[in-house]
């Protein structure tokens, strides 16, 4: 006898969430070897996107599911009309809380598409109920993008001076700032590094220290790549020296590279540092160093993040653009130019070139 319609539908929780590989209590148990394959498949599904992306997609789906439940609307099957109303509610602030920005709404829409696809369903984002409303939202609410401030060389040196050189936490934070800047690394790439290859299950790369510098092998958004971090001209600003000092005094020889410091700064734990800590470190030291002191305090707090280090390298390195693109792991030069804050500003004066 064929399966009923009810048993063929994906299993769904109260918030509309369910696994891409749903359990089927009405079906016969899988053989052990297939259960193992199913477990591995779930692992591969998780590895297909970053933890931050999965958290955002899960939160957006929950937000959408909650809104639909409050309005008495169903979420399965996907309805362009329902999604159109949801977009309108997000833009107007009727979905709970303040109105969402255009970028937040676009992310929520991407999240819905991804979540539906994981359930074997398709949301047509080109449907007029979605596309036309999104066009109207962009025309009405779109604002220029807010880019994070680039940490330039002088800024970085001032930030380093705010750190305690005599503490383990200070040594660690110094290494994070210098390696993150010189490598043009994302915050997730910084904390995802291990001392060596294949040392942890959650590692996203490893380091090798040579006489000439540091070789970082990592898995980023565009796949595996190698990043070369050469030794600096002085020991005080050399990222390799800072890293070697941290490893020596922290007595780390295996596992995660950057870890939590506990016991009032006297002990190094085994736990890998969270990527949010990199963003907090950049923000805290930039504010303490007085970077962009020309701005009001409240505005300054919004200017800095982990990406400020990445943008700082792109803006500071006076080399051919293709080398910066390779270091940052960008697929296009256009993306690299978005990171080059102020580097080429007014370098070419077309006013004078035109004869004015």
């Amino acid at each position: 006898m064929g399966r009923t319609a009810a048993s063929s539908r994906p299993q769904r929780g109260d918030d509309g969430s369910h696994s891409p590989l749903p359990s089927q209590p009405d079906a016969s148990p899988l053989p052990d070897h297939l259960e193992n394959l199913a477990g591995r498949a779930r692992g591969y599904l998780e590895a297909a996107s970053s933890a931050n992306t999965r958290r955002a997609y899960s939160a957006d789906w929950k937000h959408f599911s909650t809104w639909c439940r409050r309005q008495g609307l169903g979420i399965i099957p996907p309805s362009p009309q329902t999604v159109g109303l949801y977009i309108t509610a997000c833009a107007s602030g009727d979905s709970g809380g303040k109105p969402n920005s255009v970028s937040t709404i676009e992310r929520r829409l991407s999240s819905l598409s991804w979540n539906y696809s994981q359930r074997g369903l398709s949301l047509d984002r080109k449907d007029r109920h979605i596309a036309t409303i999104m066009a109207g939202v962009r025309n009405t609410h779109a604002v220029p993008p807010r880019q994070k401030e680039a940490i330039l060389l002088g800024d970085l040196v001032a930030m380093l001076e705010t750190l305690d050189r005599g503490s383990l936490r200070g040594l660690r934070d110094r290494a994070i700032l210098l390696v993150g800047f010189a490598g043009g690394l994302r915050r997730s790439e910084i904390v995802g590094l291990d001392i060596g290859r294949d040392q942890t299950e959650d590692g996203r790369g490893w380091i090798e220290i040579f006489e000439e510098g540091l070789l970082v092998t990592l898995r980023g958004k565009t796949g595996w790549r190698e990043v070369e971090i050469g030794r600096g001209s002085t020991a005080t600003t050399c990222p390799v020296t800072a890293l070697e000092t941290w490893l020596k005094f922290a007595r780390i020889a295996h596992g995660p590279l950057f870890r939590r410091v506990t016991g009032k700064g006297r002990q190094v734990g085994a736990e890998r540092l969270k990527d949010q800590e990199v963003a907090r470190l950049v923000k805290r030291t930039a504010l303490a160093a007085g970077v962009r002191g020309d701005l009001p305090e409240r505005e300054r707090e919004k200017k800095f993040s982990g990406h400020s280090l990445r943008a700082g390298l792109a803006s500071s390195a006076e080399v051919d653009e293709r080398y910066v693109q390779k270091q940052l792991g960008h697929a296009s030069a256009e993306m690299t130019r978005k990171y080059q804050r102020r580097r080429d500003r007014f370098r070419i004066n077309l006013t004078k070139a035109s004869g004015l």
Side-chain angles (χ1 to χ4, degrees), residues 260-298:
R260 297 187 65 82
V261 176
T262 60
K264 296 183 179 180
R266 299 187 182 93
Q267 299 175 354
V268 178
E271 183 182 353
R272 185 185 306 277
L273 203 65
K274 302 295 185 183
D275 63 345
Q276 295 93 334
E277 293 297 327
V278 176
R280 295 189 186 109
L281 169 63
V282 172
K283 185 186 293 290
R284 183 176 68 252
T285 53
L287 294 175
V291 181
R292 290 307 307 270
D294 56 308
L295 299 175
E297 191 71 16
R298 184 173 298 179

Side-chain angles (χ1 to χ4, degrees), residues 321 325 330-338 340:
E321 190 177 75
Q325 179 182 342
H330 286 153
S332 68
E334 180 181 358
M335 177 59 72
T336 301
R337 295 187 192 107
K338 293 181 180 179
Q340 293 172 331

Side-chain angles (χ1 to χ4, degrees), residues 16 18 49 52-65 78 83 86-87 90 103-119 121-123 125:
H18 38 58
S49 56
N52 287 338
T53 298
R54 293 195 301 273
R55 279 194 293 267
Y57 282 0
S58 176
D60 288 339
W61 182 257
K62 184 177 181 180
H63 186 268
F64 172 66
S65 302
V83 173
Y86 173 67
I87 291 171
C90 289
S103 60
T104 297
I105 296 173
E106 289 176 335
R107 190 205 68 216
R108 290 195 191 281
L109 189 55
S110 296
S111 297
L112 296 186
S113 295
W114 184 89
N115 275 282
Y116 276 124
S117 68
Q118 296 305 300
R119 291 155 175 79
L121 302 170
S122 177
L123 175 65
R125 294 175 57 173

Side-chain angles (χ1 to χ4, degrees), residues 209-229:
I209 300 178
F210 299 95
E211 183 177 349
E212 300 85 356
L214 177 70
L215 181 63
V216 180
T217 303
L218 53 84
R219 183 176 72 246
K221 287 186 175 181
T222 56
W224 287 97
R225 77 180 194 275
E226 289 185 344
V227 174
E228 298 176 3
I229 301 178

Side-chain angles (χ1 to χ4, degrees), residues 81-342:
Q81 293 92 334
T82 297
V83 173
L85 291 173
Y86 173 67
I87 291 171
T88 303
C90 289
S92 61
D94 292 336
S95 63
K98 63 182 181 180
N100 293 154
S101 66
V102 174
S103 60
T104 297
I105 296 173
E106 289 176 335
R107 190 205 68 216
R108 290 195 191 281
L109 189 55
S110 296
S111 297
L112 296 186
S113 295
W114 184 89
N115 275 282
Y116 276 124
S117 68
Q118 296 305 300
R119 291 155 175 79
L121 302 170
S122 177
L123 175 65
D124 184 9
R125 294 175 57 173
K126 295 182 180 179
D127 184 279
R128 62 184 180 86
H129 291 91
I130 299 176
T132 305
I133 290 176
M134 273 307 304
V137 169
R138 292 189 187 99
N139 289 339
T140 305
H141 300 291
V143 295
R146 290 181 177 270
Q147 293 183 319
K148 295 300 181 180
E149 188 76 12
I151 297 297
L152 303 181
L153 177 59
D155 303 327
L156 181 62
V157 172
M159 290 162 62
L160 294 173
E161 290 300 317
T162 68
L163 299 174
D164 181 6
R165 298 193 182 199
S167 70
L168 285 171
R169 184 175 287 109
L171 294 178
R172 181 201 65 189
D173 292 349
R174 188 179 187 85
I176 288 175
L177 291 177
L178 285 168
V179 170
F181 179 90
L185 304 179
R186 300 175 177 89
R187 67 184 195 183
S188 60
E189 294 172 343
I190 296 173
V191 301
L193 292 174
D194 290 338
I195 303 296
R197 181 171 184 167
D198 299 331
Q199 291 186 346
T200 63
E201 292 185 0
D202 62 340
R204 300 182 64 84
W206 66 92
I207 64 166
E208 297 173 85
I209 300 178
F210 299 95
E211 183 177 349
E212 300 85 356
L214 177 70
L215 181 63
V216 180
T217 303
L218 53 84
R219 183 176 72 246
K221 287 186 175 181
T222 56
W224 287 97
R225 77 180 194 275
E226 289 185 344
V227 174
E228 298 176 3
I229 301 178
R231 292 186 181 271
S233 55
T234 65
T236 56
T237 58
C238 175
V240 186
T241 299
L243 183 61
E244 289 174 327
T245 304
W246 156 246
L247 292 176
K248 175 183 176 180
F249 286 95
R251 298 181 181 180
I252 299 176
H254 187 276
L257 183 61
F258 294 116
R259 310 179 183 190
R260 297 187 65 82
V261 176
T262 60
K264 296 183 179 180
R266 299 187 182 93
Q267 299 175 354
V268 178
E271 183 182 353
R272 185 185 306 277
L273 203 65
K274 302 295 185 183
D275 63 345
Q276 295 93 334
E277 293 297 327
V278 176
R280 295 189 186 109
L281 169 63
V282 172
K283 185 186 293 290
R284 183 176 68 252
T285 53
L287 294 175
V291 181
R292 290 307 307 270
D294 56 308
L295 299 175
E297 191 71 16
R298 184 173 298 179
E299 188 173 344
R300 288 179 65 217
E301 292 179 353
K302 301 177 182 178
K303 280 287 186 180
F304 305 102
S305 73
H307 254 55
S308 295
L309 296 175
R310 195 164 157 82
L313 176 74
S315 303
S316 302
E318 295 291 341
V319 296
D320 191 291
E321 190 177 75
R322 69 178 184 273
Y323 295 114
V324 179
Q325 179 182 342
K326 180 177 181 293
Q327 188 83 341
L328 270 61
H330 286 153
S332 68
E334 180 181 358
M335 177 59 72
T336 301
R337 295 187 192 107
K338 293 181 180 179
Y339 281 73
Q340 293 172 331
R341 323 276 204 264
R342 295 182 281 170

